[in-house]
Amino acid sequence: MKPLNPTLNVDVAIIGGGIAGLWLLARLRQHGYGALLIENGRLGAGQTICAQGIIHGGAKYSLSGQLSASATAIAGMPELWRRCLGGEGDPDLRAARLLADHQYLWATRAPTSQLAAFFASKLMRSRMEKVAGADADDYPAVLHHPDFRGTVYRLDEPIVEVASVLAAFAESHREAIVCNEGPVTLNADNSLTLRYADQPIWTIQPTCAVFTAGAGNAALPWATLQLRPLHMVMARGPALPGPLYAHCLGVSDVPRLTVTSHYDAGGRLVWYLGGGLAEEGVQRDRHEQIRAARRELAALLPWVDWSQVAFATFTVQRAEARQPQGARPAEPSIIHAGRVLAAWPTKLALAPLLAERIEEILRTLGVRPHSANLQPLANWPRPAIAVSPWDREDLAWS
Ligand SMILES: Cc1cc2nc3c(=O)[nH]c(=O)nc-3n(C[C@H](O)[C@H](O)[C@H](O)COP(=O)(O)OP(=O)(O)OC[C@H]3O[C@@H](n4cnc5c(N)ncnc54)[C@H](O)[C@@H]3O)c2cc1C
């Protein structure tokens, strides 16, 4: 008779190591749960590594002139993340890097853009302040040009370097994060089979399984999800006028352009462009999207010589719980069938709120914290961190 696989009992098995799974792992371990995270690729390989790293405080969600449910849910996130980044909160993210302490919002001279910014600033009060003028100390250097016309607001939204956040979690919880060969699926009795290369096969027997696998949550037939694509653009070259972290407002309640700034492995500055450009760009091929990006940048910052800047693009899907008419979800989502949960944070910034809500559900399901002995997996392979978009070697720059 075939010998049974060795079995490891844990309170919670977390499937998928993006920001949602990692934040949950840290929270549960901090509160005494025996938790194990299983990843089938690299940590953050789905959406998280592609995130612009903005810890939204709600300004983007109040541009319609109303405080939406999204704006309310997200309002406390900048302060919570700042405490963790400063080592005063749980989890301790002192090893992660803050790229900028705040984001700007800039309204062009167009009346719709000015109005949206004005109303959002009234709703956001202390979290969104008009910057006095080009001479103000905190005016973004890139916009400090005699030809710049527009109004600039300072938002209480820090920007984190996402790869360093993933690395901080991986380092602190190394013993509880393991690789699996291929997507993890549930066995009929809700156990999981852990396998990797020539390692002995293990059965993981969790009291509760939580799928934080983004698009991979589709492995659960009842976890209905939606995918919303983006066509992101990157720009690099010596002509870039310095780092910029800003949303530029257009005529709708989605920013026309969102710019964050990053440094590639060679130390080169890269502008990462999202917002309306990326949402509308899903209709365009790579060449058309680069032309659209050049047009947009030339219109907004005409004093920069964009001919000296190279561009690359890629598409990526946002994975969320399915909404009526495919709308943007307002909050994190959790669906559960007995002691199996599927969860999506909706935003990187909302991962702490998702983890808190999952822990509440675990309590109502009667899952209690016990320590787990992870020693048998001490020599198990650990997943690497996903490659940042600006370091990808498969993208063509032109
Ligand atoms: C281009 C872009 C920019 C964004 N910018 C921001 C931003 O600036 N601020 C913000 O707050 N939000 C932003 N977001 C949203 C944010 O990135 C996502 O909401 C968040 O990263 C989702 O995290 P996740 O952990 O749920 O999923 P993912 O990051 O997709 O992680 C899922 C993980 O599960 C693994 N996996 C999948 N299937 C399986 C399986 N069967 N078994 C084991 N492992 C599996 C994957 O390899 C992956 O590591 C952005 C999203 C995109 C796409």
Side-chain angles (χ1 to χ4, degrees):
M1 206 173 96
K2 203 170 152 236
L4 288 177
N5 302 328
T7 298
L8 188 74
N9 294 306
V10 293
D11 298 324
V12 183
I14 302 170
I15 297 95
I19 191 67
L22 290 166
W23 202 294
L24 177 65
L25 178 73
R27 182 177 177 110
L28 294 182
R29 296 190 85 215
Q30 165 75 16
H31 294 173
Y33 288 87
L36 179 70
L37 186 151
I38 312 172
E39 166 60 49
N40 75 350
R42 287 173 171 243
L43 295 175
Q47 305 151 80
T48 302
I49 198 69
C50 300
Q52 291 191 275
I54 304 165
I55 306 305
H56 301 279
K60 188 172 133 175
Y61 305 106
S62 48
L63 297 174
S64 61
Q66 290 175 337
L67 257 196
S68 63
S70 314
T72 313
I74 215 161
M77 294 301 122
E79 171 60 18
L80 190 154
W81 277 77
R82 275 205 187 92
R83 280 206 312 277
C84 296
L85 290 160
E88 291 156 14
D90 283 323
D92 181 345
L93 290 180
R94 270 175 300 176
R97 278 192 293 282
L98 187 65
L99 285 171
D101 181 59
H102 55 267
Q103 172 89 343
Y104 290 100
L105 186 140
W106 118 62
T108 61
R109 274 192 307 174
T112 39
S113 178
Q114 290 280 341
L115 260 182
F118 174 76
F119 285 124
S121 68
K122 295 293 152 214
L123 288 170
M124 298 297 295
R125 292 203 192 90
S126 61
R127 285 176 279 135
M128 179 171 167
E129 275 171 39
K130 193 168 168 182
V131 182
D135 296 334
D137 284 351
D138 60 351
Y139 207 79
V142 171
L143 303 181
H144 201 180
H145 190 277
D147 294 342
F148 176 72
R149 303 278 179 273
T151 312
V152 178
Y153 295 81
R154 187 183 195 275
L155 304 183
D156 175 29
E157 296 187 345
I159 295 99
V160 295
E161 200 216 45
V162 171
S164 75
V165 173
L166 294 167
F169 281 113
E171 186 59 33
S172 318
H173 297 280
R174 191 178 181 281
E175 65 278 22
I177 302 176
V178 289
C179 288
N180 189 64
E181 202 164 274
V184 176
T185 50
L186 275 186
N187 300 325
D189 63 350
N190 283 354
S191 67
L192 309 159
T193 307
L194 184 68
R195 61 180 91 230
Y196 197 83
D198 52 3
Q199 297 286 331
I201 295 175
W202 277 81
T203 297
I204 307 297
Q205 188 69 66
T207 308
C208 183
V210 184
F211 278 72
T212 48
N217 286 0
L220 302 167
W222 44 266
T224 48
L225 57 80
Q226 65 185 25
L227 298 174
R228 292 191 303 131
L230 290 170
H231 194 169
M232 302 297 287
V233 180
M234 293 179 285
R236 80 175 181 212
L240 279 183
L244 177 66
Y245 303 90
H247 302 291
C248 174
L249 278 190
V251 291
S252 82
D253 58 1
V254 172
R256 171 174 171 179
L257 187 69
T258 296
V259 184
T260 51
S261 301
H262 308 265
Y263 294 89
D264 69 12
R268 286 175 296 191
L269 174 66
V270 176
W271 276 22
Y272 190 28
L273 311 177
L277 174 73
E279 297 214 349
E280 289 147 26
V282 294
Q283 310 295 343
R284 306 181 192 116
D285 69 18
R286 172 181 175 272
H287 299 289
E288 288 165 346
Q289 180 67 339
I290 290 177
R291 278 197 295 276
R294 284 189 183 279
R295 269 197 310 273
E296 197 64 336
L297 289 167
L300 294 170
L301 304 169
W303 55 90
V304 176
D305 179 4
W306 295 103
S307 68
Q308 299 305 307
V309 174
F311 290 82
T313 80
F314 66 94
T315 53
V316 55
Q317 300 274 5
R318 287 165 291 180
E320 305 152 343
R322 191 181 296 165
Q323 306 295 308
Q325 281 90 46
R328 175 174 69 189
E331 295 195 26
S333 308
I334 307 165
I335 313 179
H336 69 102
R339 285 183 167 177
V340 182
L341 280 66
W344 298 267
T346 300
K347 283 272 146 201
L348 174 92
L350 288 167
L353 189 58
L354 180 76
E356 185 186 322
R357 291 185 181 172
I358 291 175
E359 195 184 351
E360 278 163 23
I361 294 178
L362 294 182
R363 265 189 241 115
T364 61
L365 292 173
V367 183
R368 302 272 169 263
H370 307 94
S371 64
N373 178 14
L374 301 177
Q375 188 55 33
L377 299 179
N379 296 320
W380 198 270
R382 312 290 160 181
I385 309 291
V387 177
S388 298
W390 35 93
D391 288 321
R392 277 172 58 171
E393 287 178 356
D394 60 323
L395 299 178
W397 289 80
S398 53

